[in-house]
Amino acid sequence: MSKGLNKAILLLFAVLLILMVIPSSFAADDSTIGSDSGDIIEIAQPSTSDALQTSDDNTLVNYEANTLSDSDNSLADSDDDSLANSENLTLGDGEENYIYVSTTGSDTTGTGTQDNPYGSLYKAINASIANDVIIMQEGYYLESISEGQSYTYTNYYTVSHNITIRGEGDVTLDLNKNTGFIYTSSSYYTTTVENIKIVNGTGSRGIYNYGGDVILNNVTFQSWNTTTSSGFIYTMHNVFINNSRFIDIAVSSGPILNLGTSSNSTVSNSVFINCSATYLFRHIYNPYATSNENGSCVANNNYWGTNDNPENLLANVTYDNWVILSIDGAEDCEVGDQLTIKAALSKVTDGIIVTDLETPLDYEFDISAVIGNLNQSTSSSANPATYTATAEGDETITVSANGLTLASESFSVSLVIPGAIYVNAATGSDDNDGSKDAPYASITKALEQNAALGGSKLLHSLSSKPFRKKT
């Protein structure tokens, strides 16, 4: 071959060799991307259509575009740019939004903040959005609702989203015999009411739960008159009542709690006193329990205004026990003694066994005495009264609520006679020493002892039974 041809062949061979070597230099693994000098090689991301590719072994390879990995290129935890530990990161903190109401607030100039509260629950509900918590600060609120206002339904506070209404301190809402309380307008919302006393309501119902869940915790309803056959609380869905009180509730044609078709409800640790429910004379009526497997009500640890079995007050309701009222501390004493008297809802029974409640129910009863003195006119487990025996005789402590007598306890108050010889024909013994704590049983023994002591002692009977002569 000519020299020219040989040179052409060598040149072609060199070009082919170069074309083979250059692509192989880009086959390094991922760890070689970049350089020690900090240079960055930008590699284009595949399109979404290339996200799922078939590998050589026909398995699917999932490519997650734009994923932040734990590689050297992840977000650094620097002082300036870190998102993980930023003090200014507030998204997702889960804090509740509070709306404040005060007796000194204003519905006109108030903004619902703690420093500038509204003046009524009326305004706060109207201004609320989903998941708001309305804080009613301590005080007495007198409110009236007129039919046709934007957030009311036939004179109710209408609720159409998740909301909590919470009293702070001693809060009373007086409805001025003008309206009911809550109307819930959807099955998708929960209305929670806590720590509030609601009085002087009227209208067709106290609560009309059209479909959502209603939670009542430490709520008192007192002095209500309702006019519908649906009951004081009518619920199409769930109601959960705990540690609440229903006092002087008059329903002209219906029960206190009327459960609808899909109600799975509970009533616990609550007090019902002087409630006149005319429909079958029931406090709770569950008409669908036998025909609808979704309707149920469990009611335990409640005081129903009587120590008797509440079976006649509950229709199709499951209960294992009920709370009974006791008058603790009323016992025989002497003139001048002081007794601690508790009108207590501290015991529970199943009709056979009486046991102590772990936490007594909270209710302040009226209390009175016949001959002794009481330091206060009310009594409860947490706030007992002090009784002072001022005269000898048969004493009776009476416990009532708003004029309705609920229980009474009698005991004897005896006169302390220094040096007297005591006789108790019912419980004494002639082997005793004749003191008040250990009286004789017979007058014969007492007279013998008196003669032995000079005949100047006074003989005092501790029993209503007549003296008996020793034989």
Side-chain angles (χ1 to χ4, degrees), residues 172-194:
T172 297
L173 175 64
D174 189 334
L175 298 179
N176 200 27
K177 298 188 180 299
N178 174 261
T179 180
F181 182 45
I182 290 291
Y183 168 78
T184 62
S185 60
S186 172
S187 61
Y188 302 103
Y189 306 125
T190 298
T191 302
T192 302
V193 185
E194 301 174 337

Side-chain angles (χ1 to χ4, degrees), residues 355-432:
T355 58
D356 291 332
L357 271 176
E358 183 175 349
T359 303
L361 302 189
D362 178 26
Y363 190 79
E364 198 87 2
F365 292 94
D366 298 326
I367 188 172
S368 63
V370 176
I371 57 177
N373 293 332
L374 291 163
N375 70 324
Q376 59 192 41
S377 60
T378 59
S379 177
S380 67
S381 295
N383 184 30
T386 298
Y387 168 84
T388 302
T390 58
E392 182 182 20
D394 293 328
E395 179 65 280
T396 299
I397 299 294
T398 300
V399 172
S400 60
N402 292 16
L404 178 66
T405 297
L406 300 172
S408 61
E409 191 76 28
S410 297
F411 57 94
S412 295
V413 178
S414 59
L415 185 65
V416 179
I417 306 172
I421 299 174
Y422 289 88
V423 179
N424 191 326
T427 62
S429 170
D430 283 350
D431 293 328
N432 290 339

Side-chain angles (χ1 to χ4, degrees), residues 34-282:
S35 68
D36 294 339
S37 61
D39 294 335
I40 298 176
I41 298 175
E42 297 182 0
I43 300 177
Q45 300 289 348
S47 66
T48 55
S49 63
D50 296 327
L52 291 176
Q53 300 181 8
T54 304
S55 65
D56 292 339
D57 60 358
N58 294 321
T59 59
L60 290 177
V61 179
N62 186 10
Y63 182 87
E64 296 180 2
N66 298 318
T67 300
L68 291 177
S69 68
D70 293 329
S71 68
D72 293 338
N73 293 322
S74 63
L75 288 173
D77 190 16
S78 66
D79 293 339
D80 298 329
D81 302 320
S82 173
L83 292 178
N85 295 318
S86 171
E87 294 180 357
N88 296 321
L89 186 63
T90 58
L91 293 177
D93 56 14
E95 292 184 1
E96 297 171 316
N97 181 49
Y98 293 94
I99 298 176
Y100 288 88
V101 182
S102 171
T103 55
T104 59
S106 171
D107 287 351
T108 303
T109 61
T111 58
T113 63
Q114 191 169 12
D115 294 333
N116 190 18
Y118 294 130
S120 68
L121 179 62
Y122 169 105
K123 176 67 174 179
I125 291 179
N126 194 35
S128 68
I129 60 175
N131 301 316
D132 277 355
V133 178
I134 296 175
I135 302 295
M136 297 184 71
Q137 296 178 323
E138 186 164 4
Y140 194 97
Y141 297 80
L142 181 64
E143 299 194 18
S144 296
I145 300 176
S146 299
E147 184 175 357
Q149 292 173 337
S150 60
Y151 65 96
T152 60
Y153 176 82
T154 58
N155 290 42
Y156 290 89
Y157 295 91
T158 295
V159 174
S160 58
H161 48 252
N162 291 337
I163 194 170
T164 297
I165 304 169
R166 181 182 301 156
E168 189 177 75
D170 187 5
V171 174
T172 297
L173 175 64
D174 189 334
L175 298 179
N176 200 27
K177 298 188 180 299
N178 174 261
T179 180
F181 182 45
I182 290 291
Y183 168 78
T184 62
S185 60
S186 172
S187 61
Y188 302 103
Y189 306 125
T190 298
T191 302
T192 302
V193 185
E194 301 174 337
N195 308 326
I196 299 176
K197 184 177 183 179
I198 306 162
V199 303
N200 295 327
T202 188
S204 59
R205 304 173 185 89
I207 294 178
Y208 183 9
N209 183 25
Y210 188 74
D213 290 347
V214 171
I215 301 172
L216 303 176
N217 186 32
N218 193 27
V219 177
T220 297
F221 293 96
Q222 186 167 342
S223 300
W224 279 71
N225 288 282
T226 60
T227 58
T228 181
S229 61
S230 297
F232 177 68
I233 297 177
Y234 178 72
T235 175
M236 295 292 291
H237 210 244
N238 304 324
V239 171
F240 305 103
I241 301 172
N242 181 58
N243 190 29
S244 294
R245 290 148 295 280
F246 297 80
I247 313 299
D248 297 334
I249 308 297
V251 185
S252 62
S253 180
I256 303 302
L257 175 58
N258 193 2
L259 304 177
T261 56
S262 298
S263 174
N264 293 293
S265 301
T266 61
V267 181
S268 58
N269 305 306
S270 295
V271 175
F272 296 77
I273 294 177
N274 198 27
C275 294
S276 56
T278 57
Y279 186 72
L280 298 177
F281 304 100
R282 306 292 190 182

